Amino acid sequence: MDKKIKLADLPVFDATDYLKSEQDCAEYLSVVLEDGDPELLAAALGDVAKARGMSQVARDSGLSREGLYKALSGQGNPSFATVMKVMHALGLQISVQPAAHA
């Protein structure tokens, strides 16, 4: 008989534990961008900002720390200008390429 594991017994996954380098952050955001979900992108940017230090990202972007937490929560709806300021503060950029045709 298989022993079932309760959801409450599983460790909490936190993406910030795995975002150690700029390359890690860039690859994470690239995969999220491929999904095309704006809420997921906001949450992923929040993960990267937390991994780098939300206060520092706020200072570097010229935005308030509280505003960043709200906008990048996954339920927030950051403007494109906010996304670009955060990307710049993180030392990252968005690139465009032709979509793969399925």
Side-chain angles (χ1 to χ4, degrees):
M1 185 166 165
D2 291 329
K3 183 177 179 181
K4 294 188 178 189
I5 299 172
K6 294 180 183 177
L7 186 60
D9 294 337
L10 293 174
V12 175
F13 176 79
D14 188 349
T16 61
D17 294 337
Y18 302 93
L19 301 173
K20 303 296 184 196
S21 69
E22 283 188 5
Q23 188 64 34
D24 295 338
C25 296
E27 288 177 13
Y28 177 54
L29 291 173
S30 292
V31 169
V32 169
L33 279 167
E34 288 176 12
D35 188 59
D37 182 344
E39 290 178 3
L40 185 58
L41 175 59
L45 275 173
D47 291 340
V48 174
K50 287 177 200 169
R52 296 281 185 87
M54 191 66 82
S55 295
Q56 185 63 50
V57 173
R59 280 191 293 276
D60 293 347
S61 66
L63 302 166
S64 74
R65 191 173 65 83
E66 296 79 15
L68 281 180
Y69 272 112
K70 183 178 178 183
L72 304 179
S73 69
Q75 282 73 43
N77 188 16
S79 68
F80 190 69
T82 297
V83 170
M84 293 305 295
K85 286 178 184 180
V86 171
M87 293 290 290
H88 180 73
L90 294 169
L92 300 169
Q93 65 184 17
I94 297 173
S95 63
V96 178
Q97 58 187 346
H101 298 287

